[in-house]
Amino acid sequence: MKLADNKATLSFSNGSPSVEMPVYQGNIGPDVIDIRKLYAQTGMFTYDPGFLSTASCQSGITYIDGDKGELLYRGYPIEQLATNVDYLDTCHLLLKGELPNKTEQVAFHKLVTNHTMVNEQMQFFLRGFRRDAHPMAVLTGLVGALSAFYHDSTDINNPEHREIAAIRLIAKMPTLVAMAYKYGVGQPFMYPQNDLSYSGNFLRMMFGTPCEEYKVNPVIERAMDRIFILHADHEQNASTSTVRLCGSSGTNPFAAIAAGVACLWGPAHGGANEACLNMLEDIQRQGGVSKVGQFMEQVKDKNSGVKLMGFGHRVYKNYDPRAKLMQETCNEVLEALGLENDPLFKLAKQLEKIALEDDYFVQRKLYPNVDFYSGIVQRAIGIPVNLFTGIFALARTVGWIAQLNEMIGDPEYKIGRPRQLFTGSVKRDVKPLDQR
Ligand code: ACO
């Protein structure tokens, strides 16, 4: 961390002595005020629910400029990565800091491919779930269960263990997501096929059956790969912060990633793509494009509790760059599948147009986020709505593990332990039952 030229001074209106705090500069983005000694110096904490103004760590992985609508993985713009490299190259970049050269690429792809199978016992574990269980419930369980299978990669203080846990997670997530899907529809599990690409293999495990050969459609394969790249990391979002907090106790890495899966499930985070598609289907059922105006009135009415899902973001106060790329992919996939006139796509475009011109959205800087179009693409590919967040979890696993490993390697890392402003009862005595 680089010290900035200036310092921050905190003064108090009651005459308590003011305190000086160092300011640090990152390579880009806002400076941070170091408040670590604040409690020791003043006996006070800071108050910041939802971490609106708090940098919880230093990180060199992903950078977002929310005002510009810019997203960089290790310095590379998401637009360049999405058009020039594949998901496994992106994983290499996030984990190791650099895009692979040819030799590294071959070695990395081989390494991941060699770990795609899961222990055969996992099937029996899966069979304990109800067939109609939500795939995110299943995945939270399955990823947590990995911690019981790989005893040779659980020492998070050992860099080799961290590396092999990362490879195992990246390699096995597609297998687990596809198994969760196959279990729900009652079809046989498909074992991975190692001569296929990462995305091609996932599509085959999802949609292939042992009865006939599965032919990977290159447009769908590319779309899947792009979905994975766009969701691979997003700096200190809720699920990543969950993984860091969970991992900060020194827990098993697979258990920490399971915590990330659990957090991602929520509709304010990874569950938004599922919620967005359900919203579009609801509007469509009620009359489609003709009902958009009425729906928007509900969204703007604070008492209705209705939100335009797939819109708004804690950090982006401009167009989410991933949403643009996803819209492009959406056009490609719908065209390749002959679904150009898909009513939900038309509806989404109409909603977007109205929202981008409406004062309510303009004033609050609410723009489409990645989830606005990703649901339509996934639905066209044949992925069921309740599996959307599972696909997101698959893609984000690399981000979670890269961030977890970065944290463990950071000499400044400590167990995460926030403080509170206590508003409950002060000390009192327990009364006998007849006096309560
Ligand atoms: N529809 C309608 N109004 C909205 C929306 C929306 N989608 N998003 C935010 N607003 C309004 C809020 O009501 C608030 O209005 P106010 O100032 O009058 O009270 C204002 O815009 C600011 O929004 P906040 O909720 O304070 O912003 P915050 O950063 O806390 O929340 C969030 C961001 C959770 C993403 C929010 O925009 C939202 O719920 N969006 C819909 C869900 C969604 O798409 N989530 C996906 C996020 S991307 C991801 O996880 C991959």
Side-chain angles (χ1 to χ4, degrees):
M1 281 199 295
K2 209 165 48 187
L3 267 176
D5 295 337
N6 61 334
K7 285 187 175 154
T9 307
L10 182 65
S11 56
F12 302 91
S13 57
N14 65 359
S16 300
S18 56
V19 285
E20 265 194 358
M21 288 166 293
V23 174
Y24 295 108
Q25 268 176 342
N27 293 344
I28 26 174
D31 295 350
V32 298
I33 303 169
D34 181 351
I35 56 164
R36 281 176 291 182
K37 296 210 173 102
L38 188 70
Y39 180 59
Q41 288 174 335
T42 66
M44 279 186 229
F45 299 130
T46 54
Y47 180 63
D48 187 21
F51 306 110
L52 290 166
S53 296
T54 298
S56 61
C57 60
Q58 49 176 326
S59 178
I61 302 177
T62 293
Y63 175 75
I64 304 171
D65 186 324
D67 293 322
K68 279 200 221 155
E70 184 177 72
L71 169 61
L72 312 175
Y73 292 167
R74 303 273 190 194
Y76 295 111
I78 191 69
E79 293 82 357
Q80 289 185 29
L81 293 169
T83 42
N84 293 310
V85 305
D86 70 8
Y87 178 68
L88 281 188
D89 288 348
T90 308
C91 291
H92 188 284
L93 174 70
L94 290 169
L95 285 174
K96 296 171 183 276
E98 293 299 338
L99 283 167
N101 61 28
K102 189 70 205 158
T103 319
E104 289 163 341
Q105 187 185 54
V106 172
F108 188 74
H109 282 224
K110 188 161 174 255
L111 188 61
V112 172
T113 305
N114 283 343
H115 284 88
T116 47
M117 271 202 303
V118 295
N119 189 300
E120 202 66 1
Q121 283 293 113
M122 284 300 274
Q123 292 197 22
F124 303 108
F125 191 84
L126 183 60
R127 285 180 206 282
F129 285 99
R130 283 171 56 134
R131 293 260 178 201
D132 62 356
H134 193 285
M136 286 303 278
V138 175
L139 279 174
T140 311
L142 290 186
V143 176
L146 288 178
S147 55
F149 286 91
Y150 301 104
H151 304 295
D152 59 343
S153 59
T154 54
D155 176 5
I156 56 160
N157 296 311
N158 180 331
E160 276 171 32
H161 282 210
R162 294 207 294 268
E163 159 123 21
I164 193 63
I167 298 296
R168 281 183 169 140
L169 276 157
I170 294 164
K172 293 179 200 308
M173 275 305 271
T175 316
L176 294 180
V177 172
M179 281 172 80
Y181 168 65
K182 288 294 197 193
Y183 182 68
V185 293
Q187 286 185 8
F189 303 129
M190 293 292 284
Y191 287 110
Q193 187 174 304
N194 286 356
D195 59 350
L196 295 175
S197 70
Y198 188 85
S199 304
N201 179 46
F202 175 64
L203 287 168
R204 183 180 162 278
M205 288 191 292
M206 282 286 297
F207 302 117
T209 69
C211 315
E212 53 191 45
E213 203 187 319
Y214 179 80
K215 214 168 154 16
V216 178
N217 176 333
V219 177
I220 310 289
E221 183 182 22
R222 184 69 208 141
M224 209 65 243
D225 204 71
R226 179 171 279 193
I227 291 174
F228 293 160
I229 294 174
L230 298 186
H231 289 86
D233 195 42
H234 215 227
E235 54 119 308
Q236 308 312 320
N237 57 85
S239 56
T240 302
S241 299
T242 300
V243 169
R244 279 186 178 256
L245 187 59
C246 183
S248 76
S249 70
T251 192
N252 177 294
F254 298 101
I257 301 302
V261 177
C263 176
L264 190 74
W265 190 357
H269 190 12
N273 50 16
E274 177 175 348
C276 180
L277 205 94
N278 287 335
M279 170 192 81
L280 292 174
E281 281 177 342
D282 268 356
I283 304 173
Q284 188 60 24
R285 262 193 300 274
Q286 288 163 26
V289 174
S290 66
K291 293 288 169 188
V292 165
Q294 198 181 322
F295 176 73
M296 286 307 232
E297 287 314 310
Q298 277 183 310
V299 168
K300 291 190 276 179
D301 173 7
K302 280 281 143 78
N303 300 321
S304 73
V306 178
K307 277 199 166 172
L308 179 55
M309 300 313 286
F311 255 73
H313 197 274
R314 169 60 60 81
V315 184
Y316 293 117
K317 302 302 167 198
N318 199 330
Y319 218 104
D320 177 342
R322 303 168 302 169
K324 281 193 189 135
L325 292 157
M326 196 48 78
Q327 194 187 25
E328 211 177 276
T329 298
C330 198
N331 282 322
E332 271 167 36
V333 168
L334 295 180
E335 195 189 320
L337 298 177
L339 298 170
E340 297 94 328
N341 291 322
D342 180 64
L344 288 198
F345 187 47
K346 283 192 171 159
L347 184 59
K349 280 191 152 166
Q350 180 71 8
L351 275 172
E352 181 188 342
K353 187 170 176 298
I354 294 181
L356 290 177
E357 288 166 0
D358 192 299
D359 259 5
Y360 175 95
F361 292 87
V362 175
Q363 276 167 14
R364 290 171 178 76
K365 298 189 178 168
L366 300 170
Y367 291 86
N369 59 51
V370 66
D371 292 322
F372 197 63
Y373 286 106
S374 75
I376 299 171
V377 180
Q378 293 188 59
R379 176 172 156 275
I381 292 175
I383 295 166
V385 178
N386 69 359
L387 200 69
F388 290 177
T389 317
I391 306 281
F392 189 163
L394 183 176
R396 182 56 58 85
T397 294
V398 65
W400 289 330
I401 195 88
Q403 300 264 356
L404 177 65
N405 288 353
E406 182 186 60
M407 178 188 76
I408 309 284
D410 181 348
E412 303 226 338
Y413 116 81
K414 287 188 180 308
I415 185 169
R417 194 353 181 143
R419 307 302 288 255
Q420 64 176 7
L421 178 69
F422 183 69
T423 56
S425 174
V426 294
K427 189 174 172 190
R428 52 185 171 159
D429 295 319
V430 173
K431 289 188 182 146
L433 190 58
D434 59 355
Q435 290 171 33
R436 283 179 227 159

